[in-house]
Amino acid sequence: MIVLGIESSCDETGIALYSESRGLLAHCLYTQVSTHQIYGGVVPELASRDHITKTLPLIKETLSRASILHNEIAGVAFTLGPGLSGALLVGSMIARSLAYAWKKPAIGVHHMEGHLLAPMLEQNAPTFPFLALLVSGGHTLLVSVKEIGDYEILGESLDDAAGEAFDKTAKLLGLPLPGGPHLAKLASRGEKGKYHFPRPMTDRPSLDFSFSGLKTFALTTINKELKKLSKDERELPEQVKADIACAFEEAVVDTLAIKCLRALKATGLKTLVIAGGVGANLNLRQRLIRDAEKHQFQVFYPRLEFCTDNGAMIAYSGLQRLKRGFVDNLSVKVLPRWPLSEL
Ligand code: KG4
Ligand code: ZN
C-alpha cells in the first residue's frame, strides 16, 4: 500500500510517497522563506499563492523520483489542520481533486499527529507507549501516546509556543527568518552565564508551559544593554547579542527538559520522543540525550529535516489512518483551529 502525502499548513510545501512494505519512497520540499523574508513573518495570502504554484510540480517530481505511477497509489493524505486557512485549502483542494480523479480515498491528517509520528519514519523507531514532546512554531505539547490515535495531552503552552518564542526573540535581536535556527546559531557563539533568564512555571507541579515571559525578559535585557551604549553606537555588539541568545536558548531548553523529566516520572513511561521544528535544536537534543543516560530512559528524534514541516510525516500518518479505515468524503474542508485532543 502506497500513500501520497501533501503538507501545506504554513510556509512549506511538502510532498512524499510512503509505502507500507518499502518505507519512504521519495519526498520533496519547497520552503517559502525567501518569499516572506522582507515582511519579517509569514504572509498568509502569499503562502497560499506559493502553494498553488508549487504543489502539482512537486507531486510530479516526487512520483518521478520514486518511479511510481499514480495508479499504484492507494490514497491521498493531506494536512486537514491546524494551520493557515488559505494554505490548508490549497492542499485540501488538490488532494481531494486527485483522489476523485484517481478514484482513491482522500485522508485528512492532523498536522501535529504528523509531527508526533515523524520519528516512526526512522529505522530506529520508538515503540508504543511513549511520551512525546511536540515543540513547533504553533504548539508546545506533552502527550502520552499509547498507540496511533490514542493521545492524552498532559501539558501545553498557556501562551506562546516554544518556536514562537524563539522566532519573536530572534526578531528582537534583528535576525532573519526562520528565527529559531538563526537564534540557535548566534547562541552557539555566546558565553554561558553572562545573563540568567527565568525557567517559567518550573516552580509549579503542573506540566504546562509559558514562554511569552522569556520574550519580554529578552526585550528588557536588550533595552538595558542599549542604554549602556555610547551616543555614536546604534546597535548592540554581536557578542552581547550572542550572550543574550545563549541565555534565552538555555532557559527554553532547561524548561523543556525539566518538564519532560517530570512527565516521565509521573507517567512511568521510559521512552521520550521529541518532534516538531524546535526538536531540530541541537542543544535541546544533546541535553535530552544526557538526561536519558542519567535517568535511564530512551530518547528518539526524527532526522533534522523531518523535525520541521514535511510531506513524509503526512504520508506516513495518512497510511496509518487508511489502514484503520479513517477516510474523508470528497467535500473540500479544512480545520485551521483543531486541537489534538479532538482527534
Ligand atoms: O514544526 P515546524 O516546522 O512548523 C510548525 O508546525 O510550526 O516548526 C517551526 C518552528 C519555528 O518556530 C522555528 O523557528 C523553529 O521551529 N525551529 C527551531 C529550530 N529549527 C526550527 N527553533 C530552535 N532551534 C532550531 N534549530
Ligand atoms: Zn509543523
Side-chain angles (χ1 to χ4, degrees):
M1 189 188 276
I2 297 173
V3 167
L4 171 69
I6 303 175
E7 154 62 26
S8 73
S9 66
C10 191
D11 58 344
E12 251 111 28
T13 317
I15 309 293
L17 284 159
Y18 192 89
S19 154
E20 190 177 12
S21 56
R22 291 155 60 205
L24 187 63
L25 301 178
H27 66 102
C28 289
L29 186 82
Y30 173 76
T31 175
Q32 306 178 353
V33 170
S34 58
T35 306
H36 305 288
Q37 195 65 263
I38 56 162
Y39 303 102
V42 177
V43 182
E45 175 61 24
L46 296 183
S48 315
R49 291 186 204 179
D50 254 5
H51 287 304
I52 289 174
T53 57
K54 296 299 181 318
T55 306
L56 282 176
L58 279 185
I59 292 175
K60 281 189 188 150
E61 170 69 21
T62 312
L63 285 166
S64 133
R65 281 192 198 176
S67 305
I68 288 283
L69 296 173
H70 70 73
N71 56 15
E72 295 173 72
I73 292 171
V76 185
F78 63 98
T79 305
L80 180 59
L84 302 171
S85 324
L88 289 168
L89 268 171
V90 178
S92 168
M93 195 185 59
I94 292 175
R96 285 170 200 269
S97 307
L98 289 176
Y100 178 73
W102 295 343
K103 300 187 174 57
K104 293 285 154 48
I107 313 139
V109 171
H110 193 292
H111 181 79
M112 295 314 288
E113 181 177 56
H115 276 305
L116 195 149
L117 298 178
M120 307 305 252
L121 291 160
E122 306 304 335
Q123 290 228 311
N124 177 26
T127 50
F128 299 106
F130 56 74
L131 175 75
L133 173 69
L134 296 181
V135 268
S136 71
H139 296 82
T140 304
L141 295 168
L142 268 170
V143 189
S144 161
V145 181
K146 293 207 179 67
E147 57 179 281
I148 288 172
D150 190 343
Y151 310 128
E152 186 192 348
I153 313 258
L154 304 175
E156 61 190 317
S157 180
L158 304 178
D159 42 54
D160 289 355
E164 193 178 356
F166 262 98
D167 294 341
K168 287 178 174 170
T169 305
K171 207 169 179 177
L172 293 173
L173 289 167
L175 298 171
L177 296 180
H182 278 106
L183 189 145
K185 203 169 156 202
L186 179 65
S188 68
R189 299 196 289 271
E191 194 182 319
K192 276 193 183 157
K194 282 271 169 181
Y195 302 94
H196 183 81
F197 277 53
R199 273 52 173 163
M201 293 183 69
T202 49
D203 55 349
R204 291 172 225 181
S206 101
L207 294 171
D208 288 331
F209 302 91
S210 164
F211 288 111
S212 70
L214 284 184
K215 169 201 65 195
T216 314
F217 198 89
L219 179 64
T220 317
T221 311
I222 290 168
N223 285 340
K224 264 192 212 156
E225 290 298 332
L226 281 171
K227 279 197 190 129
K228 291 185 197 164
L229 296 182
S230 64
K231 275 201 182 119
D232 41 318
E233 283 177 310
R234 288 182 164 261
E235 245 199 85
L236 291 182
E238 270 311 291
Q239 192 55 48
V240 172
K241 287 191 194 174
D243 294 342
I244 294 173
C246 177
F248 167 84
E249 186 188 53
E250 218 184 358
V252 177
V253 167
D254 202 24
T255 305
L256 292 172
I258 290 170
K259 296 273 171 161
C260 282
L261 206 56
R262 212 173 268 174
L264 286 166
K265 282 195 180 141
T267 55
L269 291 166
K270 293 279 174 222
T271 307
L272 175 67
V273 158
I274 316 295
V278 183
N281 185 281
L282 294 180
N283 276 327
L284 177 63
R285 286 175 176 236
Q286 281 160 6
R287 165 66 185 268
L288 291 168
I289 289 168
R290 283 199 305 275
D291 282 2
E293 277 171 16
K294 199 164 148 198
H295 298 279
Q296 309 276 296
F297 63 87
Q298 281 191 298
V299 63
F300 292 85
Y301 304 89
R303 71 195 84 165
L304 286 179
E305 62 181 326
F306 292 161
C307 278
T308 43
D309 292 348
N310 64 86
M313 65 184 199
I314 303 303
Y316 179 84
S317 305
L319 186 127
Q320 300 308 323
R321 298 224 137 236
L322 182 60
K323 270 170 60 181
R324 289 160 179 80
F326 295 116
V327 294
D328 289 60
N329 63 31
L330 287 172
S331 63
V332 175
K333 65 166 183 189
V334 292
L335 298 172
R337 291 177 181 275
W338 183 15
L340 186 63
S341 53
E342 281 178 15
L343 193 63

